[in-house]
Amino acid sequence: MRESAPRTVYLKDYTPPDYLVGSVELTFLLDEENTRVTSRLRLQKNPASANPNAPLVLEGEQLQLEWVKLDGQLLKPERYELTPENLTIAWAPKVEVFTLEIETRINPKANTALEGLYLSKDMLCTQCEAQGFRKITYFPDRPDVMAKFTTTLIGDKWRYPVLLSNGNKVASGDLKKNRHWVKWEDPFPKPCYLFALVAGRLDHIEDVHVTPSGREVTLQIYVERHDLDKCGHAMASLKNAMRWDEEVFGREYDLDLYMIVAVGHFNMGAMENKGLNIFNTKYVLARPDTATDADYEHVEGVIGHEYFHNWTGNRITCRDWFQLSLKEGLTVFRDQEFTADRSSRAVKRIEDVNLLRTRQFAEDAGPLAHPVRPDSYIEINNFYTLTVYEKGAEVVRMLHTLLGPEGFRKGTDLYFERHDGQAVTCDDFVKAMEDANGADFTQFRRWYRQAGTPEVCVLSSYDADSQTLELAVRQSCAPTPGQADKEPLHIPFAVGLIGPDGADCPLQLEGEPEPSSATTRVLDLTQPEQRFRFVNLPQKPVVSALRGFSAPVRLHHPIDYDELAFLLGHDSDPFNRWDAGQTLASRIILSRVEQIKAGGTPGASDPHLVSAYRKALSQDWSDLSYLALLLTLPSEDYVSALMKTIDPEAVHAARQSVKRELTEELQDRLLELYRSNHRDESGCFDEGAIGRRKLKNVCLGFLSELDNSAIHALEVAQFRGARNMTDQIAALGCVVNSSNPERQACLEDFYRQWEQEDLVIDKWFALQASCHRSGALERVQGLLAHRAFDLRNPNRVRSLIGAFCQANPVNFHRLDGSGYRFLGDHVIALDGINPQIASRMVGPLTQWRRYGGNRQKLMREQLQRIAGTDGISADVFEMATKSLA
Ligand code: TRP
Ligand code: ZN
C-alpha cells in the first residue's frame, strides 16, 4: 500500500493567491543530466488576498535547491522551510515589490515521466501543463498567477544549435567552450503552465501569414532532419486555422512568431505553450505514403486546436484547474467547427458523436463519472477526460444551438473583450453569453456541475381527427458517485417531422399563428416531463428526434423497423439519417446476441438490413465518406453499451455474423463499388479522392469476411500495390484479420519497408494488437520483446498495450482473466516509469461493473492488486481506488 492516501483538492476551497508575480527572468544552463536553473521573480502581495500576513509558499518537486536570495541577500536555511513539495518563506518583506532569486538543479535524463524538463531522444523539451513547472523551479504553480517571462538559454553549440522559448527572440551570442546563448521575451503575461523551452539539433520549415490588421507572422515547424519532408501538411493546416479564426471568430494572432516543435516522446497529443507549441510527432508529420487520410485530418484538427488555444486558453486562461473545460471544451468545439467547415460537416458530426457515445457515455456511467467542472480531484492529470473535453464541447455546442450562430458570436466577442488577460471561470463564460444576448442560463449552468448522461424518452401520438401530433418528452438522470439526486437540465431538443412523401413537414405548435420557416425546431426541455402539440398535419408524420444530436443525452424513442428504414431513406438531417441505420443495425446485432447466448446458431440474414443496404448501395451519393459511414456497422463498443451485462464474445460473434451475411447477399455490388472506386490517386486529398478511398476500403472490409482465395488475392494486391498509407494499412488490416496465407509475409514486409518510420511502426504494432483472431494476447506478449518496442515511449505503449486493451474486446476479455492480468502487470511496470501513462491505461478495468460475474471478479482483483502496490503513484491510486469504491 501507499504510506498515506494522497491529498484531495476541492473547488470549494479556492482562495485567491497571496502573492502575484509581475515578471520572471529564467536562465537555463542546459545539460542532459545536470541543468542549472536560475529564476529571478518580481513579487508583490496580492491586494485581493484574504490574508495580509500570509507566508510566501512556492511549489517545487524533485528539485535540488542551491540557494535563495531575497532582495539580493543570500537567505540562511533557517529563513525558509523546505519540504518535498514546497519552499516556504514565513517572513516576506513588508515592501510593495521585492525580488526573489533561486537556483535549482534538475536531471532531465532521469525524467521518464515526461513532465517538467525532459529528454526526447537527444532533444531537451518541456511539458508544464498542468503542474510540471514546479519540476523546473520553485514558483507559485497555479494558473491565476500570470507573469511576464524572459528566458535565457545557454547550451553547447553542437548538441543544441537550436534554442527556443516563448515569445520573441531578443538577443543571442557566443560564449567560450563552444557554447552559445539565446534570450527570449514573451510580452504577454501568462501562467507558468504555458512556459516552454526546446533545445536540440532541429531543422525547420518556414512560411508567413499576414493577419487582417497587416501583421506579418513568421511560422516555423521544427523537426528532426529525417522528417523535414513530412511537414508541409502541418504548415498548410496552421495557415488554414489562422485564417479560419480570423473569419469565424474575429480573432487574430498576437506575436511576430509562431513555432511548432514535433517530439517523439509525448504524453498527450500536443500543448499550446504561448508562441511555442510542442506536439507529438503523430500530429505533425504526414506524407501520403506514411500517413492515412484520417491522420491528415487529425493533424489539421490538432494544429487548429492548439492554435485556437491562443485566445481560448492563453489570452484568457483558467482561474483554477477545476475550470479546465473553460479552455478545453470551448477549444474542442472550435476545432470541431474548423474541421466541419474544411471537410464534410455531416461526417465530422458523426465521428464526434461516435466518440462521445461510446467512450464519454461509458465514463459518465462508470465509477469515475464527474461533472464537466469537477468538484474535487487527487491528481489533476486524471481529469483531462472525455467528459471535460468532449462533453464540455457539447455543452458549448448547446449554447451555440440555443443562441444561433450570431448570438453565439456576440457572446464570444463579449467574452474576449471582457476577460482578455484574465484567469476566469466557466461561469464567466456563460455570463458573457447571457449578457450579450439578454438570455437566462441559470438552469443551463447545471450542465457544468451535474455528472451523468441524461436519458430522454419521447412518445408520439398522432390524432387523425384533429390532425395533430403530440410529443410527450420525459428527462431523467441516474445517480452518479456523490450525486444521488439529479435536477432537470435545460436540453435543446431538435426535432423534425417527415411526411409520407419523405419531405419535411411545416412545423406549427399549438397556439402559433402559422408554421415557422425552418423544418427543424429546437424545443426547450426544462421540466422532468413536457408535452408539445404540433398542429396542421393532415397525414401521420414520422418523428426525427434529437436532430444533429442536439444534446449529449441517451435517447429512447420507440420506433419500428419500417420507420427506421424510412428515416434512413429520407431524413433531411444527415446525422439522424445515419443514426437510423445505426439503430436498425444495432437492434439486429443485439437480437443475434440473444440467439447466440441461447445457444442457437445464427439464422438467415435479416431482410430489413439487407434491403436497407441494398438501397444505400444502389443510390448516387455526392459525399462518399458519408456513404462509407452509413455502411459501417456500429462498433462492438457501441453495441455493448446498449446491453445490461456485456458479453464481449457474443457481441463479437453477432456483429461478425451480421457482417458476413450482408456480404454474402451483396458481394457483387460491393465488388463493383470496390473496383469503380479503386483508382490510383495517391497524394490527392480532395473530398472526392478521400471519399473514394474510404468507400472502397469499407467495401474491402466487407468482402474480406468471405475469407476466400479470390478475396485474399485482392487484399494482397492492394497491399503490395498501394502508394498511400490509407490503402496499404486498410489492406493489411484485412489480411491480418483473415486466414490469408500471406499474413506473416505481409507483416514482415511491412516492417522492413517502414523500419525507419516510428509512426508507421506504431501502426504495425496497433494492427496486430487489435487483431480479433484468437491468440492475440500471446502475439502481443511476443511483440513486447521486439527490438522496436520501448515501455518509455508513450506512442509505443498506446499502440501495443493500449490497442490490445481498448480496441480488442474479444481478446482482452478472455474468460481466464489473462488479458486483465496482462494489463495489471503493465500498469504496475509503467507506473514506475510514467504515472500519467500508467493511469490512462487503467481505463478498461474501471468498467468492471458492466461485465458478468467471473469477469467482474477478475477485473476487480487486478484493480485491488494495483491499488495495493507499494509506492504506487497518486495518479494510478486515484483511478484504482475510485473505481473500486
Ligand atoms: N492542453 C493540452 C491540449 O489539450 C493537453 C495537455 C494537458 C497535455 N496536459 C498535457 C499535453 C500533458 C501533453 C502533456 O491541447
Ligand atoms: Zn486543448
Side-chain angles (χ1 to χ4, degrees), residues 607-627:
H608 298 284
L609 201 58
V610 172
S611 80
Y613 266 73
R614 187 161 279 139
K615 220 183 231 163
L617 287 169
S618 66
Q619 281 168 20
D620 260 339
W621 296 86
S622 56
D623 184 348
L624 296 182
S625 296
Y626 180 78
L627 173 59

Side-chain angles (χ1 to χ4, degrees), residues 129 270-272 305-306 309 312 324 327-329 331-332 335 384 389:
E129 188 178 5
M271 180 63 212
E272 69 264 24
H305 180 98
E306 306 312 328
H309 268 315
T312 51
L324 182 57
K327 75 177 177 81
E328 295 305 346
T331 304
V332 171
D335 85 54
Y384 286 75
Y389 275 66

Side-chain angles (χ1 to χ4, degrees), residues 634-649:
S635 66
E636 289 174 30
D637 280 348
Y638 182 73
V639 175
S640 300
L642 302 171
M643 299 171 70
K644 248 189 99 171
T645 303
I646 302 175
D647 181 339
E649 275 145 358

